Amino acid sequence: MRRAFACLVVGMVVVLGAGVVVADPGPNATEQTPANASIDAIYPNPVADGDAGEYVVLSVSSETNVAGWTLADDHSTARLPNATVSGRFALSTDPARARNHTDVPVYTLDGHVPLANSGETLTLRDGDRVLDTVGYEDAPEGELGRVENGAIAWEPIGVTDFNVRRGDGGQVRTFVLPDAGGLPSDVLASADDRILLAAYTFTSRDASETLIAASERGVDVQVLVEGGPVGGMSRRQARLLDRLAEGGVEVNAVGGDAARVDHHHAKYAVVDDRAMVLTENWKPAGTGGRSSRGWGVVLSDPAIVESLVDTFRADAGWRDAIPWQEFREGREFSDPKPSDGSFARRYGPQRHDARGASLLVAPDNAEGAVIERLDAAETSIDVVQAGVGGANQSFVRALKRAADRGVEVRLLLSRAWYAVEENQAVADRLERWATKAEASLSVRLARPRDRFGKIHAKGVVVDGETVLVGSLNWNDHSARENREVVVALAGQGVAGYFGRVFADDWQAAVWRLSVGLSVVVAVATLVAILVGRRIEFADTAGSPGEDRLLAEDFGDIPDREF
């Protein structure tokens, strides 16, 4: 059974004052210690002989030299280094091993403070003045204890804690699927030095042949896939991964008892000094251009590229990343039918100059970062998602707040047969709320027509200035328990490109009744009269039976919400 991020609260933390303990300095003291330091986390019980690599995470509110500070347990005391620090950092007597388990800077303690597995009290001092005190009991093996609201919350170590990482943006190539056809494989084919490919599912024969060809000419090729996708791994994927491994590609599958996330759902690739971030799976229906409406970007911002490399290495380097040949032993695989659609190419790839870029990853920081951008919207928010986790999901609540303050909000959802009932119910609830609140929020369910097979994109355009593209589904599970990757790009060129695609898909969508407050309904004719708010009526341009075309329109059953 996979270990989710639900935290077991164990032991107690003693925190005096507002997160800082101020010792009594004696009768001659004239000032108090500023409340600027705290013990944020502890790692007392590593899965290693002699608990090698244990560490403590501290936080300071401003740039501070910690010379003269000490960290003590119930029996021993160690000095902090003569270093100027800011924000969060870690202390360890074995910093080389500790760095394998945290992305914050690690400094060496002068002396040894063995963190007892059975529990004890840790005290941080500046000279004789106590800055913070934390107590714990019974540290679980291989788990990090975070100080949260007066208690220790334990979670499996190895769980990353990446901050939002930012870059300058630079030149960006935008594309949408199925219009872009083989573009993702073309980017892979350009590799000279390295390919790091992160996937949820991988059933693309074109991509696999491209990766093998790259490996044969000396490119370092690594592939990381989810080991337990919803519905199981297909025989087609198993065969392709076999072929990759035989062709010299390093293939790992995320899974097993040590798994730190529920699903490795990220979809990106680092190719030399470029990165490609996708909403689509590496499969015929996705990157193959055979079904899904998807969004993607290729960028070369060094900060974002290297941050993706860090993310890949953190995920591929943990013990839940199991070599493919070992992982596949004794497993059974499913046999779904791949998609084989063909669609017009209305939108070709384009190049733009972005004014800034940010990398968001879940479960570390993406939920808060997305909500922050939605809450900052001033004029418009356009969202395309296969579905959302209900009318009161955290992202949807942010949309409602935006609409309530006058932002024009449009939400486009999938109308695929497996999603239509749930999405219809969510749309109805949101439209009732919008009517009651006199808020500018509209919901449509996509009608693919001849443009694509189904909605699978996960994209946002905010104020015509900012775009979010990536693997993040709008539900709490995706945001809080999966590995997801999203890139946020600023710039009218990038936003304009995806905004035009969204507007086209929105206009072609199923038009649904969405009325405002002041509506007169004629008893016999049900004629709605708009007062101050747009009304959307059912589109009657399609064939009489078009509303009932469901499974046969879409070929293989996709990854549902994935």
Side-chain angles (χ1 to χ4, degrees):
M1 188 110 183
R2 288 192 171 190
R3 300 163 85 177
F5 280 83
C7 296
L8 174 65
V9 178
V10 181
M12 295 299 296
V13 179
V14 180
V15 182
L16 304 181
V20 175
V21 179
V22 181
D24 182 359
N28 297 324
T30 59
E31 60 181 7
Q32 299 292 313
T33 302
N36 67 342
S38 63
I39 300 173
D40 278 9
I42 56 174
Y43 182 39
N45 193 2
V47 185
D49 292 341
D51 288 344
E54 61 187 14
Y55 63 85
V56 176
V57 178
L58 307 183
S59 178
V60 294
S61 58
S62 59
E63 193 172 89
T64 305
N65 189 285
V66 295
W69 290 23
T70 59
L71 181 68
D73 62 9
D74 293 336
H75 308 287
S76 56
T77 299
R79 292 187 296 273
L80 272 64
N82 182 7
T84 298
V85 299
S86 62
R88 300 174 70 244
F89 63 99
L91 299 169
S92 176
T93 56
D94 191 350
R97 294 205 184 198
R99 289 188 185 101
N100 292 329
H101 304 300
T102 179
D103 70 323
V104 301
V106 182
Y107 295 88
T108 304
L109 277 169
D110 182 7
H112 186 48
V113 178
L115 306 180
N117 296 343
S118 59
E120 59 182 341
T121 300
L122 299 177
T123 303
L124 178 67
R125 288 185 174 89
D126 177 6
D128 294 332
R129 297 174 295 184
V130 176
L131 301 176
D132 201 5
T133 299
V134 170
Y136 67 97
E137 297 178 0
D138 300 325
E141 185 179 46
E143 296 197 12
L144 180 73
R146 296 186 186 276
V147 181
E148 296 181 357
N149 300 321
I152 294 287
W154 298 98
E155 63 186 29
I157 191 60
V159 173
T160 55
D161 189 21
F162 291 119
N163 295 317
V164 174
R165 290 161 288 180
R166 295 176 173 82
D168 295 331
Q171 190 172 87
V172 175
R173 192 178 186 187
T174 58
F175 62 95
V176 294
L177 296 161
D179 305 52
L183 175 64
S185 290
D186 291 345
V187 174
L188 300 180
S190 69
D192 292 321
D193 300 315
R194 65 180 177 183
I195 299 175
L196 308 177
L197 187 147
Y200 175 65
T201 57
F202 185 92
T203 60
S204 170
R205 189 176 304 277
D206 289 344
S208 67
E209 294 303 313
T210 302
L211 294 177
I212 292 170
S215 178
E216 290 176 344
R217 64 176 184 269
V219 176
D220 175 22
V221 183
Q222 299 178 41
V223 172
L224 186 64
V225 302
E226 165 59 35
V230 172
M233 189 179 292
S234 70
R235 291 187 182 93
R236 177 187 177 96
Q237 175 163 325
R239 289 193 298 268
L240 290 178
L241 296 183
D242 285 344
R243 178 156 167 69
L244 288 177
E246 293 165 0
V249 175
E250 181 181 326
V251 181
N252 289 285
V254 176
D257 293 336
R260 305 169 299 173
V261 294
D262 197 40
H263 286 97
H264 179 265
H265 189 242
K267 313 165 200 304
Y268 65 89
V270 174
V271 181
D272 296 340
D273 58 355
R274 295 186 295 164
M276 177 166 53
V277 178
L278 301 157
T279 68
E280 300 313 295
N281 292 304
W282 299 90
K283 58 191 290 187
T287 59
R290 302 297 180 86
S291 179
S292 299
R293 165 63 85 216
W295 292 10
V297 296
V298 180
L299 66 162
S300 55
D301 184 310
I304 303 303
V305 172
E306 288 311 308
S307 294
L308 278 171
V309 172
D310 291 343
T311 303
F312 187 93
R313 288 176 176 166
D315 292 340
W318 183 242
R319 61 178 181 267
D320 62 347
I322 304 170
W324 169 245
Q325 296 296 350
E326 175 186 340
F327 184 88
R328 80 176 321 283
E329 290 182 6
R331 294 184 181 272
E332 296 183 357
F333 305 101
S334 61
D335 198 15
K337 179 183 176 182
S339 293
D340 193 27
S342 179
F343 303 93
R345 299 188 176 185
R346 289 179 167 83
Y347 289 94
Q350 292 185 5
R351 298 184 186 275
H352 315 272
D353 289 324
R355 291 186 290 99
S358 299
L359 185 69
L360 323 178
V361 296
D364 307 49
N365 59 59
E367 182 175 18
V370 171
I371 291 173
E372 179 182 349
R373 285 160 173 78
L374 298 177
D375 284 342
E378 297 179 351
T379 58
S380 65
I381 300 175
D382 292 333
V383 180
V384 57
Q385 279 280 337
V388 295
N392 289 311
Q393 192 271 341
S394 62
F395 298 136
V396 179
R397 289 200 303 271
L399 292 185
K400 292 162 73 174
R401 289 194 297 272
D404 204 31
R405 65 177 182 268
V407 175
E408 181 75 19
V409 176
R410 300 187 293 183
L411 175 61
L412 183 63
L413 302 175
S414 173
R415 194 172 175 272
W417 64 267
Y418 54 84
V420 63
E421 184 176 354
E422 180 179 346
N423 286 345
Q424 179 87 42
V426 169
D428 289 343
R429 288 190 61 186
L430 289 176
E431 288 177 346
R432 286 195 296 269
W433 171 86
T435 296
K436 183 176 180 180
E438 296 187 271
S440 184
L441 187 153
S442 302
V443 185
R444 294 183 185 176
L445 274 59
R447 185 188 294 266
R449 302 180 187 259
D450 63 343
R451 296 167 303 114
F452 52 85
K454 62 181 182 295
I455 288 286
H456 190 259
K458 307 118 182 15
V460 184
V461 180
V462 179
D463 291 341
E465 291 280 352
T466 302
V467 172
L468 305 180
V469 178
S471 63
L472 181 66
N473 289 304
W474 275 29
N475 58 66
D476 292 343
H477 188 92
S478 182
R480 299 170 187 175
E481 308 217 16
N482 288 350
R483 168 62 82 217
E484 311 283 0
V485 164
V486 178
V487 64
L489 296 167
Q492 291 183 349
V494 178
Y497 177 87
F498 288 113
R500 288 189 295 274
V501 174
F502 179 92
D504 188 20
D505 293 346
W506 177 263
Q507 192 63 31
V510 176
W511 285 39
R512 307 180 59 254
L513 184 64
S514 173
V515 298
L517 259 188
S518 302
V519 176
V520 177
V521 181
V523 173
T525 63
L526 300 180
V527 178
I529 301 176
L530 174 63
V531 179
R533 186 168 184 269
R534 178 170 59 254
I535 303 179
E536 298 163 10
F537 294 92
D539 183 3
T540 58
S543 61
E546 195 168 359
D547 287 351
R548 294 187 292 276
L549 296 178
L550 298 173
E552 60 267 34
D553 290 344
F554 302 106
D556 65 323
I557 298 176
D559 301 314
R560 300 186 69 86
E561 72 272 22
F562 295 94

